[in-house]
Amino acid sequence: MPLPASRAHARNAGRTRERLLQAAFLEIYKSGFRGTDLKTLLAHAGVTKGAMYHHFASKEALGYAVVEDVLGPITQQKWLQPLQQHDANPIDVLIAIVQGTSLRPEHVRLGCPLNNLSQEMAPLDEGFRRRTAQIFADWHGGISAALERGQHRGQVAAVVNAAESAHFLIALYEGFQSLAKNAQHAGLLKSGQRGIVAYLESLRSAPVGHA
Amino acid sequence: MPLPASRAHARNAGRTRERLLQAAFLEIYKSGFRGTDLKTLLAHAGVTKGAMYHHFASKEALGYAVVEDVLGPITQQKWLQPLQQHDANPIDVLIAIVQGTSLRPEHVRLGCPLNNLSQEMAPLDEGFRRRTAQIFADWHGGISAALERGQHRGQVAAVVNAAESAHFLIALYEGFQSLAKNAQHAGLLKSGQRGIVAYLESLRSAPVGHA
Amino acid sequence: MPLPASRAHARNAGRTRERLLQAAFLEIYKSGFRGTDLKTLLAHAGVTKGAMYHHFASKEALGYAVVEDVLGPITQQKWLQPLQQHDANPIDVLIAIVQGTSLRPEHVRLGCPLNNLSQEMAPLDEGFRRRTAQIFADWHGGISAALERGQHRGQVAAVVNAAESAHFLIALYEGFQSLAKNAQHAGLLKSGQRGIVAYLESLRSAPVGHA
Amino acid sequence: MPLPASRAHARNAGRTRERLLQAAFLEIYKSGFRGTDLKTLLAHAGVTKGAMYHHFASKEALGYAVVEDVLGPITQQKWLQPLQQHDANPIDVLIAIVQGTSLRPEHVRLGCPLNNLSQEMAPLDEGFRRRTAQIFADWHGGISAALERGQHRGQVAAVVNAAESAHFLIALYEGFQSLAKNAQHAGLLKSGQRGIVAYLESLRSAPVGHA
DNA sequence: ACGTCCGGGACATCCCGTTACT
DNA sequence: AGTAACGGGATGTCCCGGACGT
């Protein structure tokens, strides 16, 4: 079958949309939403204004889509899916996730995409706030549920308040990302990871001792 | 002593600068640095553009001054001065500070001025980054030193790593402010305060037990 | 008999064109030609852009067609056909037409479609000017001819200059529509109708008196 | 005294505003308000965007100012001031004004600035409608009052309804301007003037006859 | 005959900084 | 020390038309 092959601009709506979302995600990550210049974004995406305004009603709509279709899935993939492995110890999973956080200089410098966008836009735009809040809620829900499952299995101490601990963990995680971003110092992030791991270890149920 | 008489607006210079700093602080707090419109700021300050450019070379310079002359002193007053009371238990002081954090809806909604500005500008402007980083460093230094003093006095557990704990505390504090800002939920901040207090309590040296 | 079966959308061609003309007429009436947005128009017509450009070469061509195929027939129906009733007194007919002009708020507000489009586009686009001028010429011709027929039958005063009176009538009619549109006041239009009727009455031939 | 003399751009707020108003008036007259391009307008005015936005908040505000500060005074000067000469016969004055209307091709082609703007914007923008309506009201008031004064002096027939006649006159005047603009035919305007004059003559009080 | 995707120029507005002047 | 006029580049959005696909 021929396969139209190498068309200058292969008419592909889905692909165009995807390119826009990816480019928008990167630009927003680098410059913030308001600091993102549409022209630059479009150049990086290799998409024209007409095409963009065909897919998104406004810059704002594109930003909303980035939250829903990029940031959401990223959180899903990094946190929620691993936590849904029903045969794993949630503490182990969480530790692995935290330790898996990139320490690459550019990531340290730029911080957490979700937190960045949320911090910038939440007080200014309810649309952004609601959407990022949903992701935070899902994130929190995933951790909380996993901790509870761990309690039922005796992997997590019974005295732990799952919901509060999940908030504690997220605050800690985002807080360290913020500090490291400001300090531009990967060591701080690394040290933060150790602190978080220590905290997570403290949630384990005490091992059964023998006489 | 000279004191040249009849200078109706002689003392206005200092006042003008102060008005600008205050207005700038508020506008930046509400809208971010880039989102701050000079015209609006000037209107709120009751100062004209010419006057502003007489005191500050640029919007950026005004922003820098806000960090140094407003955010810095705020941190000094809220954290560092209380911590310097040599006769107090640093854990008690820190708990009091944390519990004293405003839960007013507008503050929950807007978050922490220092963290906001740092998050927005750190990756974009080295001048802002350096200045906010200095405040974070002072903040961290103050907590760290106080904890060490507490250790010498037996108020803080000897096993505590003062520097790391200070980072942990700051990350936690800023992290919860961020979460609450996004969620627009004072309860989350309140719950965060409880978590932070619990963490601080865990740093106390164990009471001497008897057999 | 050919009648090729199974052409679900065979007869849609004519309908599509008609829908476009009607929607275009309404949009132009409401917003002017340049103020008419093709996207909105298309949405109201329930027709897509591709379909439109199949029937009309450009927005301009669509506008021309509105003049010819909508505004022309409207004038025909409202003025020319009644005036062609050879057995009627043209003064009576004209009075009836004038009094039949809608006083509905939306019509008062929007004025005369023909005059609106003419006023907007005549100095800017010769294509529009020529086409609207043709309608005005036909309109004028119809009134003028009817008045002359009335003179032959002794219904219209012989001293009347038919051509000038027709212009006078049209100017008066459009002038009052304009004033009422600006004032958004149906009463002004109503009062204008009375004035026009009085003018028309003055064109009648004097009744034959007896000693 | 020196007189700063021939400065490249003599800092003159009033003059800049005036240039803007004049240029805007002309552009609007030629292209309509919506068809007026700010860049072109600015180039014709010899004023930059910054200067314009210093004097007017928006294109709309500039348009409003054109109505108030250009169209209003024009009407004042052309109609209201002559009509206020208390020692003149208002019919004579009105006839002189009507006959004084320019027949220059460009004016025929472009029509009446007030009516053009009113027709274009009245249904779309209440701000324009109100301001143009005010001018029409003043215009009508001036004619009406003059006719009444004429009645008191026996120059205008007592049976004349001054208010209605004023509306009739304005409608007729604007109506003929519209027709001539569409036809691009000065002769039509000339003929219209004759018709209007004839109408005005009919308003005179009948001369006193002798036996 | 019709639908979607796309191209890209035009436009009003925003807003920081400068300049002339007091 | 302070005011107001001004300069002008950058930006999001609008919107007509064309191209590709069926």
Side-chain angles (χ1 to χ4, degrees):
Chain A
M1 272 301 105
L3 265 186
S6 89
R7 194 87 45 68
H9 38 284
R11 204 73 165 217
N12 191 327
R15 189 173 153 70
T16 298
R17 191 187 143 89
E18 204 52 45
R19 293 171 70 87
L20 282 167
L21 287 174
Q22 276 307 316
F25 167 70
L26 282 175
E27 290 296 316
I28 291 173
Y29 187 30
K30 285 192 290 189
S31 314
F33 179 73
R34 287 172 306 177
T36 289
D37 163 37
L38 233 36
K39 210 162 190 170
T40 305
L41 188 165
L42 259 10
H44 286 180
V47 165
T48 62
K49 275 185 183 175
M52 187 211 126
Y53 274 92
H54 176 71
H55 290 279
F56 301 97
S58 63
K59 184 189 177 187
E60 200 175 45
L62 174 57
Y64 289 173
V66 166
V67 180
E68 292 173 345
D69 299 342
V70 182
L71 296 179
I74 286 178
T75 308
Q76 276 284 336
Q77 188 209 323
K78 176 164 182 181
W79 293 82
L80 303 184
Q81 285 177 8
L83 283 171
Q84 278 168 352
Q85 298 163 15
H86 280 227
D87 53 339
N89 183 326
I91 304 287
D92 293 337
V93 173
L94 287 169
I95 289 175
I97 295 173
V98 168
Q99 288 180 333
T101 296
S102 166
L103 294 171
R104 285 164 57 185
E106 56 189 292
H107 290 154
V108 172
R109 214 178 76 87
L110 294 173
C112 168
L114 172 62
N115 199 41
N116 288 353
L117 188 50
S118 160
Q119 291 303 303
E120 178 190 3
M121 300 306 295
L124 302 177
D125 185 300
E126 181 63 11
F128 273 109
R129 197 197 65 78
R130 211 161 25 216
R131 285 170 177 82
T132 50
Q134 184 59 54
I135 297 183
F136 276 111
D138 292 343
W139 186 7
H140 176 265
I143 295 174
S144 199
L147 289 178
E148 285 177 357
R149 277 200 311 274
Q151 289 178 314
H152 293 151
R153 293 198 213 116
Q155 299 159 328
V156 175
V159 297
V160 164
N161 180 324
E164 287 197 358
S165 298
H167 275 135
F168 196 95
L169 172 60
I170 294 174
L172 208 43
Y173 183 80
E174 295 293 16
F176 270 115
Q177 297 256 88
S178 294
L179 294 194
K181 171 179 167 185
N182 179 264
Q184 287 193 10
H185 192 295
L188 183 46
L189 197 50
K190 189 74 196 149
S191 144
Q193 289 182 1
R194 282 195 301 271
I196 296 174
V197 168
Y199 168 69
L200 286 171
E201 293 290 358
S202 79
L203 300 181
R204 292 190 196 272
S205 61
V208 178
H210 297 282
Chain B
M1 210 75 56
L3 261 187
S6 93
R7 274 184 305 152
H9 50 73
R11 75 173 70 80
N12 286 8
R15 280 187 59 80
T16 297
R17 190 188 143 89
E18 203 51 43
R19 295 170 68 86
L20 282 168
L21 285 174
Q22 275 306 316
F25 167 69
L26 281 175
E27 290 296 316
I28 292 173
Y29 187 29
K30 284 192 291 189
S31 313
F33 178 74
R34 287 172 307 176
T36 287
D37 163 39
L38 232 36
K39 204 162 193 171
T40 305
L41 188 164
L42 259 10
H44 285 181
V47 166
T48 60
K49 198 170 277 191
M52 185 209 124
Y53 275 93
H54 198 77
H55 290 275
F56 300 97
S58 64
K59 184 189 178 189
E60 206 173 40
L62 175 57
Y64 290 171
V66 166
V67 180
E68 293 172 345
D69 299 343
V70 181
L71 296 180
I74 287 177
T75 308
Q76 277 285 337
Q77 189 208 324
K78 176 164 182 182
W79 293 83
L80 302 185
Q81 287 176 8
L83 284 171
Q84 279 167 354
Q85 298 163 17
H86 280 227
D87 54 339
N89 183 326
I91 303 287
D92 293 337
V93 173
L94 289 170
I95 287 176
I97 295 172
V98 168
Q99 287 179 334
T101 297
S102 167
L103 293 171
R104 284 167 56 187
E106 56 190 293
H107 291 153
V108 172
R109 213 177 77 87
L110 294 174
C112 168
L114 172 62
N115 197 41
N116 288 353
L117 188 50
S118 159
Q119 291 302 303
E120 178 190 4
M121 300 306 294
L124 301 176
D125 184 301
E126 181 62 12
F128 274 109
R129 197 197 65 77
R130 209 160 28 214
R131 286 171 176 81
T132 50
Q134 183 58 53
I135 298 183
F136 275 110
D138 292 345
W139 187 7
H140 176 264
I143 295 174
S144 198
L147 289 178
E148 285 177 358
R149 278 199 312 275
Q151 288 178 316
H152 294 150
R153 292 196 214 119
Q155 299 159 328
V156 174
V159 295
V160 165
N161 179 323
E164 287 197 358
S165 297
H167 274 136
F168 195 95
L169 172 59
I170 294 174
L172 209 40
Y173 183 79
E174 294 294 17
F176 270 115
Q177 296 256 87
S178 294
L179 293 194
K181 170 179 168 185
N182 178 263
Q184 287 192 9
H185 193 295
L188 184 45
L189 198 51
K190 188 77 195 145
S191 144
Q193 289 182 1
R194 283 195 301 269
I196 296 174
V197 169
Y199 167 69
L200 287 170
E201 293 288 1
S202 78
L203 299 183
R204 291 191 198 273
S205 62
V208 180
H210 298 281
Chain C
M1 210 75 59
L3 262 187
S6 90
R7 273 184 307 152
H9 52 73
R11 75 173 72 79
N12 286 7
R15 279 186 60 83
T16 296
R17 190 187 144 89
E18 202 52 42
R19 294 170 70 86
L20 281 168
L21 285 174
Q22 276 306 315
F25 167 70
L26 281 176
E27 290 297 315
I28 292 173
Y29 186 30
K30 285 192 290 189
S31 313
F33 178 73
R34 287 172 306 176
T36 287
D37 162 39
L38 232 37
K39 205 161 190 171
T40 306
L41 188 164
L42 258 10
H44 285 183
V47 165
T48 60
K49 200 170 274 190
M52 186 209 123
Y53 275 93
H54 197 77
H55 290 277
F56 300 97
S58 64
K59 185 189 178 188
E60 206 174 40
L62 175 58
Y64 291 171
V66 167
V67 180
E68 292 173 345
D69 299 342
V70 181
L71 296 179
I74 286 178
T75 309
Q76 276 286 335
Q77 189 208 324
K78 176 164 183 181
W79 292 84
L80 303 184
Q81 285 176 10
L83 284 170
Q84 278 167 353
Q85 298 163 16
H86 281 227
D87 53 339
N89 183 327
I91 303 287
D92 293 337
V93 172
L94 289 170
I95 288 174
I97 294 172
V98 168
Q99 288 179 334
T101 297
S102 167
L103 294 171
R104 283 166 57 185
E106 57 188 288
H107 290 152
V108 171
R109 214 178 77 87
L110 294 174
C112 168
L114 173 62
N115 198 40
N116 288 353
L117 187 51
S118 159
Q119 290 302 302
E120 179 190 2
M121 300 306 295
L124 301 176
D125 184 300
E126 181 64 11
F128 273 110
R129 197 198 65 78
R130 208 158 33 213
R131 285 171 176 81
T132 50
Q134 183 59 52
I135 298 183
F136 275 111
D138 293 343
W139 185 7
H140 176 265
I143 295 174
S144 198
L147 288 178
E148 285 176 358
R149 278 200 311 275
Q151 288 179 314
H152 294 152
R153 293 197 211 116
Q155 298 159 328
V156 175
V159 297
V160 165
N161 179 321
E164 286 197 356
S165 297
H167 274 136
F168 195 95
L169 173 60
I170 293 174
L172 208 43
Y173 182 80
E174 293 294 17
F176 269 115
Q177 296 256 88
S178 294
L179 294 194
K181 171 180 166 183
N182 178 264
Q184 285 192 12
H185 193 296
L188 183 46
L189 197 51
K190 188 75 195 150
S191 145
Q193 288 182 1
R194 282 196 302 270
I196 296 174
V197 167
Y199 167 69
L200 287 170
E201 292 288 359
S202 79
L203 300 182
R204 291 190 197 273
S205 61
V208 179
H210 299 280
Chain D
M1 275 303 101
L3 264 186
S6 90
R7 195 85 46 70
H9 39 282
R11 204 77 164 209
N12 190 326
R15 188 173 155 71
T16 298
R17 190 188 144 90
E18 204 51 45
R19 292 171 71 86
L20 282 168
L21 286 175
Q22 277 306 316
F25 167 70
L26 282 176
E27 290 296 316
I28 292 174
Y29 187 29
K30 285 193 290 190
S31 313
F33 178 73
R34 289 172 304 176
T36 288
D37 164 36
L38 232 38
K39 208 161 192 171
T40 305
L41 188 164
L42 258 11
H44 286 180
V47 166
T48 62
K49 275 185 183 174
M52 187 211 126
Y53 274 92
H54 176 71
H55 289 280
F56 300 97
S58 64
K59 183 188 176 187
E60 200 175 44
L62 175 57
Y64 290 173
V66 166
V67 179
E68 292 173 346
D69 299 342
V70 182
L71 296 180
I74 287 178
T75 308
Q76 277 285 336
Q77 188 209 324
K78 176 164 184 183
W79 292 83
L80 303 185
Q81 286 176 9
L83 284 171
Q84 278 167 353
Q85 297 163 16
H86 280 228
D87 53 338
N89 183 326
I91 303 287
D92 294 337
V93 173
L94 288 170
I95 287 174
I97 295 172
V98 168
Q99 287 180 334
T101 298
S102 166
L103 294 171
R104 284 165 57 184
E106 57 189 289
H107 290 154
V108 172
R109 213 177 78 87
L110 294 174
C112 167
L114 173 62
N115 198 41
N116 288 353
L117 188 50
S118 160
Q119 291 302 303
E120 179 190 2
M121 300 306 295
L124 301 177
D125 184 301
E126 182 63 12
F128 273 111
R129 196 197 66 77
R130 210 160 29 214
R131 286 171 176 81
T132 51
Q134 184 59 53
I135 298 184
F136 275 111
D138 292 343
W139 186 7
H140 176 265
I143 296 174
S144 199
L147 289 178
E148 285 177 358
R149 279 201 309 277
Q151 287 178 314
H152 293 150
R153 293 197 212 115
Q155 298 159 330
V156 174
V159 296
V160 164
N161 180 322
E164 287 197 356
S165 297
H167 274 136
F168 196 95
L169 172 60
I170 293 174
L172 208 42
Y173 182 80
E174 293 295 16
F176 269 116
Q177 298 255 86
S178 294
L179 293 194
K181 171 180 167 184
N182 178 263
Q184 286 193 7
H185 193 294
L188 183 45
L189 197 51
K190 187 77 195 146
S191 144
Q193 288 182 0
R194 283 195 303 270
I196 296 174
V197 169
Y199 167 69
L200 287 170
E201 292 288 0
S202 78
L203 300 182
R204 291 189 196 273
S205 62
V208 180
H210 299 280

